[in-house]
Amino acid sequence: MRKAFISPSKYVQGENELLNLGYFIRTYGESALLIAHPEDVKRVKDKLDFTSKKFNVTLVESEFRGECSREEVQRLQHLAREKQCSCTIGLGGGKAIDTAKCVAEGDALIIVPTIAATDAPTSHSAVIYTGEGAFEDYAYFKQSPSVVMIDTTVIANAPTRFLVSGMGDALSTYFEARATSRSFSKVNAGLPCGVHEGAAPAAGGTKAALALAKLCYETLLEDGVRAKIACDANQVTPALENIIETNILLSGLGFESGGLAAAHAIHNGLTVLPGTHHYFHGEKVAFSTIAQLVLENAPKAEIDEVLEFCFSVGLPVCLADIGVDAVTADELRLVAETACIPEESIHAMPFPITEEAVISAIVVADRIGRDFKLSKKDAIR
């Protein structure tokens, strides 16, 4: 069986690590195109100025317009050529990071997340939107980022909700990788969808990726609550450092080289419900993970463990928690249809998938989550 594993060339994490950004720019040359929202630049301006002066490098600010669109990518690529930038930096949240990936096209790319809300920073893929913000396509590049740099001080001073959302995204990593491993399904580390005929066959996940995915889940259970408390207090602690690594590195390597399954597909289905639009990716993935566990008839003890974790850090456990107070049969059918389209990751589950089974899993997961919250309220009384 063909297997594959992919990762960034370098991952570095620490307090005030942004002060060393210039060192990594120097690896490639003397200047870098900085793709970041102006507000994110403002948050870390002192550190950017310090590292530019210390390492004698130039940061070319791009006035990023906030959307990872083809038009914006072309504009920034032109700017990078005009200014003869040696590398590209994506600093901030998902849109800036994805835009930087598209601009660099797999060459000399430094990713600097300012929040730990998803596991996307380490991956070699991006989501492209229209100029108006509607989903358009996925993009895959020849390699993962050259450097992923995490300043834990910056993460600690971001709103805690971002960190908790990242834990929700990371929560699915082990369960999806486990399902993919059992079904011998392909993973993103191999060949993405749509590769040309005659290419090498798709690849499955490695034991290393599954082990990282399992460590991701174990670390969430061990340090999640303490990391949330530390972030609430804007303090960097060992627990917070461990969860930042979990949200970004362990989950990132785990999902891309271990595989996605039902949880992310159900998440994508849930996005058709307007009520979910005000909730973060990881918040919806947390509930979708519970739905996946119901779909695969996971042991009660395992579902209870996931529910306890979600409740302890403030992640959603039922539909109402992601803005869906009521849902019709037609709406559920649309969610299931969207989750079950042929190219979706739900087909990596180690058994045949039907829309009816997905609808049932969502309904039962919602009921289990609501009952769990009621039991917690009764216990408090």
Side-chain angles (χ1 to χ4, degrees), residues 70-267:
R70 295 186 190 279
E71 295 77 14
E72 180 71 342
V73 169
Q74 289 173 1
R75 181 184 76 83
L76 294 172
Q77 287 177 329
H78 176 76
L79 179 62
R81 289 191 293 267
E82 178 187 328
K83 299 295 185 179
Q84 297 183 314
C85 297
S86 308
C87 63
T88 303
I89 299 171
L91 183 148
K95 293 292 181 72
I97 288 171
D98 277 1
T99 302
K101 291 178 184 179
C102 293
V103 170
E105 295 181 334
D107 287 318
L109 173 64
I110 302 173
I111 297 296
V112 187
T114 55
I115 54 176
T118 73
D119 52 19
T122 65
S123 76
H124 78 311
S125 59
V127 182
I128 298 176
Y129 297 86
T130 66
E132 293 71 41
F135 170 80
E136 183 173 310
D137 201 1
Y138 292 104
Y140 294 88
F141 308 104
K142 59 189 177 186
Q143 64 186 35
S144 298
S146 311
V147 179
V148 177
M149 167 183 283
I150 316 295
D151 188 323
T152 54
T153 311
V154 173
I155 303 292
N157 283 279
T160 304
R161 185 181 173 190
F162 288 120
L163 184 81
V164 172
S165 175
M167 287 193 261
D169 198 22
L171 177 63
S172 71
T173 305
Y174 170 59
F175 300 111
E176 293 189 279
R178 181 178 71 180
T180 302
S181 175
R182 290 173 176 174
S183 64
F184 301 98
S185 295
K186 67 178 182 180
V187 299
N188 282 353
L191 298 175
C193 297
V195 294
H196 60 80
E197 283 189 29
T206 60
K207 288 176 68 65
L210 185 59
L212 289 171
K214 187 175 182 183
L215 178 61
C216 178
Y217 179 58
E218 292 170 347
T219 309
L220 288 173
L221 297 182
E222 178 69 22
D223 287 317
V225 173
R226 287 178 292 181
K228 179 181 182 296
I229 294 169
C231 198
D232 284 339
N234 304 125
Q235 299 299 311
V236 177
T237 65
L240 180 61
E241 290 175 330
N242 288 344
I243 290 301
I244 292 170
E245 180 183 343
T246 296
N247 287 5
I248 296 174
L249 182 62
L250 296 181
S251 186
L253 300 183
F255 101 79
E256 193 163 39
S257 293
L260 299 175
H264 271 77
I266 292 172
H267 161 277

Side-chain angles (χ1 to χ4, degrees), residues 183 185 260-262 265 339-354:
S183 64
S185 295
L260 299 175
C340 292
I341 60 174
E343 57 268 33
E344 262 296 0
S345 59
I346 199 166
H347 302 292
M349 296 300 290
F351 47 80
I353 295 294
T354 65

